[in-house]
Amino acid sequence: MDFYRRSGVLLHPTSLPGRGGIGTLGKSAYDFVDWLKDAGQTLWQVLPFGPTGYGDSPYASFSTFAGNPLLIDLDLLFERGWCKKSDVVPPDYIKADGNVDFGAVVWWKMPVLKNAAQYFLETASADDLALYKRFCKDKKSWLDMFATFMSIKSYYDKKAEDEKPASSLWNVYWPAALSRCESDAVRDWQKSHKDEIETLKVIQFFFDFQWQALKKAANDNGILLIGDIPIFVAPDSADVWGNQSLFQLKTDGSLSCVAGVPPDYFSADGQLWGNPLYDWDEMRATNYDWWIRRIKRVFELTDVLRIDHFRGFEAYWSVSAGEKTAINGKWEKGPGQSLFKAVRQRLGNLPIIAEDLGVITDEVRALRDDCGFPGMKVLQFAFSTDEAEQNGMTNCFLPHTFTSQNCVMYTGTHDNDTLQGWLEKLDDKQLLLVAQYIEGSALSVEKCRSLVKSGALRSDMIKTVFSSTAVYAIIPMQDILGVDNEGRMNTPSTTGANWAWRMKKTSLKKSLAENLRFLSGMYGRNLPEN
């Protein structure tokens, strides 16, 4: 599939409204598809869909293959006959409106889903059970390992909680044979916990069934889903536990080196992410089979893929495990073009977006361009007052400087403040720079502040993205709604309040859809393919 001029919206399903305390793949998701169609939009970008753990980040999941059970819609399960009516009613402490309280939702919903899975196994029709068996067979390469991992983890997390050790990470507290994922120990666990593992598989079937139905509805309405995967996976994941030879680990399963980024203008210590690094030599020896299966899985659920931290395929910052900061790391070469050649040989020419933000070298740009992947342009990153004073308005994120249409332009990303929140915080000097560029005329500070307060400057920045030559124009839903910084999805290097924002039930207004449809028509987006 070739890229052509399209536009759409960035919104993770957890941010949809609904009565269960978190957005799901139910009615509100289908309402959003209808609204996108009315708005003339053909792209719906989501964040990674994996099951989240501590911190609730979709970029640090227990599996890069599995789906997040919290997205399963209980009403749809009941309509299908896969759970009891009593299971779909949230308790009083689950609020229908407002941001997600992940702790409360997990406490209530996970036991309900396990009950529903048992009910399904006991009462489902022969046809539905056949669907489930087909799912288990088709997804066996990751499903068995994931369900086993979560079964073991559940047991030893509880044991760790009772006994309060230093850590409940699998390579610290599990028995050595299970920690090393030895086949005999794993088989013994699977035999003795067969029912529990089966329940976890059914829950994944629920997710897959509902997601596939939603994807079909979107595709039938001319809307493509854009998926997202981080380059690295979480240390506490089935991905690492079940594939230890593919990562830079010590013999006991502990991390040898971890991922991060070096010191820069924004951080004197750099960023220490702590993700395990790949053993690219071992990956290459297997012809990148794990990576190919990972990408294939995302394309089972979405139509286009965004890969986070693309620059790590050219070179990555390696820090010895145990370091307190990223200062003492070093650059190591990644797989480069060889990985993507292997992907093309197995899966064909796929539509992939390269997240190429940050300090990017000529080598990274060459890899991106050799692969033919569009990179990213973020309008919030385009306005540096120091750079403007020295060189004029030449920032590479400004639309008039684009040297190629092969890019995807955003007002902001999940890691940015919302556009309205960002504008409200700008000092006078930077606000003048932004407003005068967007409005194309000299303005007073007072006039700029007035444009921010009214939402006019935000709207004109959205128009700027639509009018750019970028092949895709994608706007976070918060920016379309004009939500201030209370709608920020994530503040990097913080925990506790991220990923929780939700729309209101009344957010999908007809006037907003009409405006997006107008912008798409005016700037030649979402027209029939030639």
Side-chain angles (χ1 to χ4, degrees):
M1 185 192 80
D2 293 328
F3 288 91
Y4 78 99
R5 282 182 70 80
R6 292 178 179 267
S7 60
V9 177
L10 168 60
L11 178 76
H12 198 50
T14 56
S15 295
L16 291 164
R19 66 174 183 155
I22 189 171
T24 70
L25 307 179
K27 184 180 183 301
S28 60
Y30 288 86
D31 289 344
F32 185 63
V33 167
D34 292 339
W35 183 83
L36 286 173
K37 182 181 180 182
D38 291 342
Q41 303 307 296
T42 61
L43 299 173
W44 178 4
Q45 181 171 331
V46 300
L47 304 181
F49 49 73
T52 58
Y54 175 77
D56 311 306
S57 171
Y59 292 88
S61 68
F62 295 129
S63 169
T64 192
F65 294 87
N68 189 345
L70 301 183
L71 292 175
I72 296 170
D73 187 80
L74 298 176
D75 289 305
L76 290 183
L77 289 185
F78 174 72
E79 291 173 13
R80 187 81 187 183
W82 291 353
C83 74
K84 300 175 183 178
K85 179 64 175 177
S86 57
D87 286 337
V88 305
V89 181
D92 292 340
Y93 62 82
I94 297 295
K95 297 180 179 179
D97 301 319
N99 287 357
V100 182
D101 181 343
F102 284 99
V105 171
V106 169
W107 180 264
W108 160 66
K109 194 166 186 176
M110 289 309 300
V112 170
L113 287 171
K114 290 177 180 179
N115 289 338
Q118 293 167 6
Y119 182 81
F120 171 86
L121 291 170
E122 294 168 0
T123 66
S125 68
D127 288 345
D128 286 346
L129 285 173
L131 284 175
Y132 168 62
K133 295 300 182 184
R134 169 62 65 180
F135 168 78
C136 291
K137 180 180 178 181
D138 290 345
K139 314 305 177 190
K140 184 176 179 60
S141 64
W142 62 265
L143 182 62
D144 289 356
M145 192 62 69
F146 167 72
T148 302
F149 173 82
M150 294 305 294
S151 171
I152 303 170
K153 178 176 172 57
S154 177
Y155 176 84
Y156 283 104
D157 277 3
K158 180 64 168 66
K159 190 175 178 63
E161 182 180 326
D162 292 341
E163 299 182 13
K164 296 180 173 57
S167 171
S168 61
L169 191 64
W170 56 268
N171 63 359
V172 175
Y173 201 61
W174 293 12
L178 283 176
S179 178
R180 291 192 294 265
C181 198
E182 293 180 4
S183 56
D184 289 345
V186 171
R187 276 195 298 269
D188 288 344
W189 185 277
Q190 290 171 334
K191 289 177 182 177
S192 60
H193 295 77
K194 181 179 178 181
D195 292 344
E196 179 184 349
I197 291 171
E198 193 78 14
T199 296
L200 292 166
K201 290 182 182 180
V202 174
I203 292 173
Q204 284 302 303
F205 168 69
F206 289 162
F207 171 87
D208 200 82
F209 186 89
Q210 291 190 358
W211 189 291
Q212 293 290 0
L214 179 62
K215 180 179 184 296
K216 184 178 186 302
N219 292 167
D220 287 348
N221 283 284
I223 297 164
L224 301 180
L225 293 180
I226 302 178
D228 191 344
I229 56 174
I231 184 174
F232 299 118
V233 297
D236 194 15
S237 68
D239 307 305
V240 181
W241 174 68
N243 302 277
Q244 295 181 36
S245 65
L246 300 180
F247 295 86
Q248 296 183 31
L249 306 179
K250 299 177 183 177
T251 55
D252 64 355
S254 62
L255 305 182
S256 174
C257 296
V258 298
V261 291
D264 57 20
Y265 176 81
F266 300 101
S267 173
D269 292 334
Q271 296 180 41
L272 190 62
W273 296 338
N275 303 83
L277 294 171
Y278 301 108
D279 184 333
W280 284 116
D281 289 337
E282 188 66 25
M283 287 277 189
R284 191 176 296 109
T286 62
N287 201 28
Y288 303 106
D289 178 71
W290 181 87
W291 258 101
I292 291 170
R293 288 188 289 109
R294 185 186 188 195
I295 290 174
K296 181 176 181 289
R297 173 60 176 162
V298 179
F299 276 100
E300 291 172 357
L301 300 174
T302 61
D303 305 289
V304 182
L305 169 62
R306 171 193 179 273
I307 301 181
D308 196 53
H309 197 62
F310 178 81
R311 71 105 53 245
F313 293 113
E314 193 282 322
Y316 57 91
W317 191 248
S318 174
V319 184
S320 296
E323 289 282 343
K324 301 301 183 184
T325 73
I327 291 176
N328 295 321
K330 59 181 179 179
W331 288 110
E332 299 281 2
K333 278 295 182 182
Q337 184 67 258
S338 66
L339 167 62
F340 297 103
K341 286 181 179 178
V343 171
R344 283 193 296 272
Q345 288 172 357
R346 286 265 297 273
L347 303 179
N349 190 25
L350 299 173
I352 293 175
I353 298 167
E355 185 274 289
D356 56 349
L357 305 174
V359 180
I360 302 302
T361 64
D362 289 340
E363 290 81 3
V364 177
R365 296 186 190 95
L367 176 61
R368 177 200 65 198
D369 294 343
D370 289 345
C371 292
F373 300 157
M376 290 175 55
K377 303 289 186 180
V378 179
L379 190 56
Q380 281 192 37
F381 295 162
F383 302 97
S384 166
T385 52
D386 291 341
E387 185 177 279
E389 288 175 355
Q390 295 172 13
N391 306 309
M393 297 297 282
T394 59
N395 186 289
C396 66
F397 291 117
L398 292 167
H400 76 270
T401 67
F402 292 0
T403 58
S404 170
Q405 298 177 9
N406 196 34
C407 59
V408 180
M409 191 170 193
Y410 302 78
T411 47
T413 75
H414 61 271
D415 283 335
N416 293 109
D417 199 346
T418 65
L419 189 56
Q420 185 66 25
W422 179 74
L423 288 170
E424 290 174 358
K425 292 179 180 177
L426 294 181
D427 61 32
D428 290 350
K429 186 177 182 181
Q430 190 167 22
L431 179 59
L432 277 172
L433 182 68
V434 173
Q436 292 183 160
Y437 178 86
I438 296 298
E439 303 301 329
S441 61
L443 300 169
S444 66
V445 172
E446 291 74 18
K447 178 62 176 177
C448 293
R449 294 291 173 196
S450 175
L451 291 172
V452 172
K453 185 176 182 179
S454 68
L457 183 54
R458 170 183 54 82
S459 295
D460 288 344
M461 292 182 77
I462 292 173
K463 180 179 72 174
T464 298
V465 173
F466 271 80
S467 67
S468 74
T469 60
V471 67
Y472 282 2
I474 300 175
I475 313 298
M477 192 67 194
Q478 293 95 315
D479 294 350
I480 294 169
L481 297 175
V483 179
D484 62 18
N485 62 355
E486 291 184 359
R488 182 167 186 162
M489 200 64 172
N490 180 51
T491 302
S493 301
T494 68
T495 59
N498 295 323
W499 316 109
W501 176 77
R502 295 178 75 203
M503 288 195 307
K504 298 178 180 178
K505 292 180 179 179
T506 56
S507 293
L508 299 180
K509 298 184 183 300
K510 183 178 180 181
S511 59
L512 295 175
E514 289 174 344
N515 184 58
L516 290 179
R517 178 176 284 275
F518 171 80
L519 291 175
S520 292
M522 176 63 69
Y523 297 113
R525 295 191 180 275
N526 306 317
L527 300 175
E529 292 185 72
N530 296 325

